[in-house]
Amino acid sequence: MASINKNYLKLPGSYLFSTIGKKIKEYSENHPDAQIIRLGIGDVTQPLAPEIIKALHSAVDEMGNAETFKGYAPDLGYEFLRSAIAERDFKKRGCDISADEIFVSDGAKGDCSNIQEIFGLDNTIAVCDPVYPVYVDSNVMAGRTGEYDSLTERFAGVIYMPCTEENGFLPELPKEVPDLIYLCFPNNPTGAVMKKDQLQKWVDYANEHDSIILYDAAYESYISEDDVPHSIYECDGAKDCAIEMRSFSKTAGFTGLRLGYTVIPKDLTTGGDKLWPLWARRHGTKYNGAPYIVQKAGAAVYTDEGRKEVEEQIAYYMTNAKIILEGLKEAGYTVFGGVNAPYIWLKAHNNMTSWEFFDHLLDKANVVGTPGSGFGPSGEHYFRLTAFGNREKTIEAIERIKKL
Ligand code: PLP
């Protein structure tokens, strides 16, 4: 008889976005005329840029021609894409990362979830609280944590690093030394960023204690301030302790196409073992997660014209972020983020819980956001709005909130 992986049962039943979906459905059924505006979901809304579409069309044509047809992609991804990434994302920023240290994938979610598989089950993990839930969830499923405690809203055995208003939403170096440290900057959901000297302290800490940093830079293209690093490899010694994950989803609108990559330096080791060859054997490596067509579309993002077009989209979202940020400040809210990230993190009015504030906003303004507590216990009393909506609806939503 087959048995299940009981670790999956440790995950609390109701997932954040399904609860939100249920609440919206219920509200719409009871208020059929309500014009609900969604400023909560972390998905892009702008269509793919023309250069990307052009690359897709031409790659599709290649697939229909015997001379240019492509079968399985190479294990690490196509060289044309990996060298463009190495050049534009790393060498241009002074990072010594080469094309063969880049593993192309079908997006950062899979990489962020699966990267833990190359590490032993005896490793302790540290995560920011609040943060993108995938890091904890994947370690729970793997069996690297104890049970979930619904009172503390934490899993036993995980080192949670609170990110609060007091510490500027930046974690403090943990006293209990973790083996694996997940960092995500610019942060989802708080929008916080680390300056280079702040991130350097984490790199030094990891090198001193033989920890590995798993650095999620999915929102790197939203960085607008000069002293904020785009990659952890901008810090000295990061190649000795860090793996970095990136995504084309929010950078270039690939949430539906699927493309990302993970950087593992060739000489990065733990306990004397190299990590690069382990990730080279990861699930699905033979077929590579991203099809040729999509990798061609990804390469278009690195052409001058493609870059210009995706930067315009990012600027569009960041104008939305500014509208939200300034509007909420005018309305008397305490707000964070929104400068180097498409996320605006606000404090709920009148000490409401995150879910009370969700209901309040849905009922009184017909605006949907994401309760901060869904990203970790330190997110309680906070709320996330995103800049990914269209301009008119974003303005309308903020006008409604101002009138509350
Ligand atoms: N990392 C963070 C911090 C995210 O917020 C997301 C998506 O919301 C991802 C990774 C996943 O990105 P992808 O669409 O490439 O799987």
Side-chain angles (χ1 to χ4, degrees):
M1 187 181 69
S3 67
I4 60 159
N5 174 353
K6 291 211 168 54
N7 293 312
Y8 277 57
L9 302 179
K10 292 178 187 163
L11 289 166
S14 165
Y15 183 59
L16 177 63
F17 289 105
S18 63
T19 310
I20 292 174
K22 268 188 225 144
K23 278 184 176 266
I24 298 173
K25 187 164 172 276
E26 209 177 282
Y27 187 84
S28 306
E29 279 165 8
N30 294 331
H31 305 83
D33 296 331
Q35 300 288 316
I36 294 174
I37 301 179
R38 293 169 189 247
L39 283 191
I41 309 295
D43 197 356
V44 291
T45 50
Q46 295 274 298
L48 290 166
E51 280 300 304
I52 297 170
I53 294 296
K54 219 159 74 184
L56 282 169
H57 280 301
S58 109
V60 168
D61 288 341
E62 284 183 70
M63 293 299 265
N65 183 327
E67 270 85 64
T68 48
F69 168 77
K70 303 282 185 300
Y72 292 129
D75 280 3
L76 270 63
Y78 284 95
E79 220 278 327
F80 62 79
L81 178 58
R82 288 184 295 107
S83 35
I85 292 170
E87 193 54 43
R88 300 289 280 251
D89 286 349
F90 296 103
K91 296 222 167 72
K92 268 205 154 172
R93 295 202 176 274
C95 306
D96 173 29
I97 295 296
S98 61
D100 58 3
E101 293 175 310
I102 293 160
F103 295 79
V104 174
S105 73
D106 66 346
K109 183 172 182 186
D111 287 354
C112 290
S113 317
N114 298 331
I115 194 71
Q116 45 78 27
E117 292 193 356
I118 64 171
F119 297 97
L121 288 181
D122 51 351
N123 286 291
T124 49
I125 66 155
V127 289
C128 293
D129 163 29
V131 82
Y132 182 53
V134 163
Y135 319 132
V136 170
D137 288 359
S138 54
N139 279 284
V140 171
M141 293 186 235
R144 213 170 272 111
T145 74
E147 294 294 332
Y148 183 71
D149 178 345
S150 56
L151 275 181
T152 60
E153 295 175 50
R154 289 168 173 221
F155 286 94
V158 174
I159 301 171
Y160 289 86
M161 306 184 289
C163 299
T164 60
E165 193 174 347
E166 289 70 45
N167 58 26
F169 301 100
L170 298 180
E172 276 134 45
L173 295 168
K175 292 193 180 68
E176 182 192 345
V177 177
D179 301 304
L180 301 172
I181 304 169
Y182 286 87
L183 293 179
C184 170
F185 293 103
N187 187 268
N188 175 12
T190 65
V193 285
M194 276 197 194
K195 308 265 173 182
K196 192 168 168 189
D197 57 336
Q198 292 168 319
L199 187 57
Q200 184 66 53
K201 286 194 186 125
W202 284 84
V203 170
D204 295 344
Y205 173 95
N207 276 325
E208 188 187 333
H209 295 96
D210 287 330
S211 308
I212 297 286
I213 297 177
L214 303 167
Y215 194 72
D216 184 349
Y219 297 96
E220 158 278 330
S221 354
Y222 289 85
I223 294 171
S224 66
E225 293 176 324
D226 287 344
D227 50 355
V228 176
H230 287 242
S231 165
I232 195 164
Y233 301 114
E234 289 176 45
C235 295
D236 294 334
K239 280 189 86 174
D240 300 323
C241 67
I243 290 174
E244 181 165 305
M245 276 85 61
R246 294 264 190 116
S247 167
F248 283 63
S249 284
K250 312 299 160 63
T251 304
F254 279 54
T255 51
L257 264 191
R258 311 303 302 144
L259 189 64
Y261 64 86
T262 286
V263 181
I264 307 196
K266 280 237 153 151
D267 293 328
L268 176 59
T269 59
T270 190
D273 290 311
K274 287 198 175 189
L275 297 176
W276 191 100
L278 303 184
W279 192 237
R281 298 186 68 173
R282 71 203 182 285
H283 296 307
T285 179
K286 288 230 173 62
Y287 311 112
N288 195 275
Y292 174 70
I293 298 168
V294 177
Q295 295 197 39
K296 270 289 189 189
V301 175
Y302 293 95
T303 61
D304 290 344
E305 192 51 33
R307 183 86 254 146
K308 201 172 122 234
E309 289 171 358
V310 298
E311 277 174 4
E312 278 163 16
Q313 292 192 338
I314 290 165
Y316 176 89
Y317 293 134
M318 289 313 278
T319 302
N320 285 352
K322 200 165 173 220
I323 290 166
I324 299 172
L325 206 58
E326 287 175 1
L328 290 175
K329 274 187 199 160
E330 253 177 65
Y333 286 91
T334 308
V335 274
F336 306 92
V339 175
N340 294 294
Y343 295 121
I344 293 93
W345 188 239
L346 62 123
K347 223 171 171 171
H349 261 169
N350 302 330
N351 207 29
M352 279 187 222
T353 66
S354 299
W355 279 108
E356 281 167 355
F357 190 74
F358 175 92
D359 291 333
H360 170 73
L361 222 53
L362 176 59
D363 190 34
K364 299 289 186 296
N366 294 163
V367 172
V368 175
T370 314
S373 55
F375 299 95
S378 297
E380 183 55 285
H381 300 295
Y382 284 88
F383 203 70
R384 189 192 76 172
L385 292 179
T386 73
F388 294 125
N390 81 23
R391 181 66 41 78
E392 273 164 45
K393 287 198 171 148
T394 301
I395 293 173
E396 165 77 21
I398 297 306
E399 287 309 313
R400 290 188 199 169
I401 295 174
K402 276 191 198 164
K403 286 190 196 126
L404 289 183

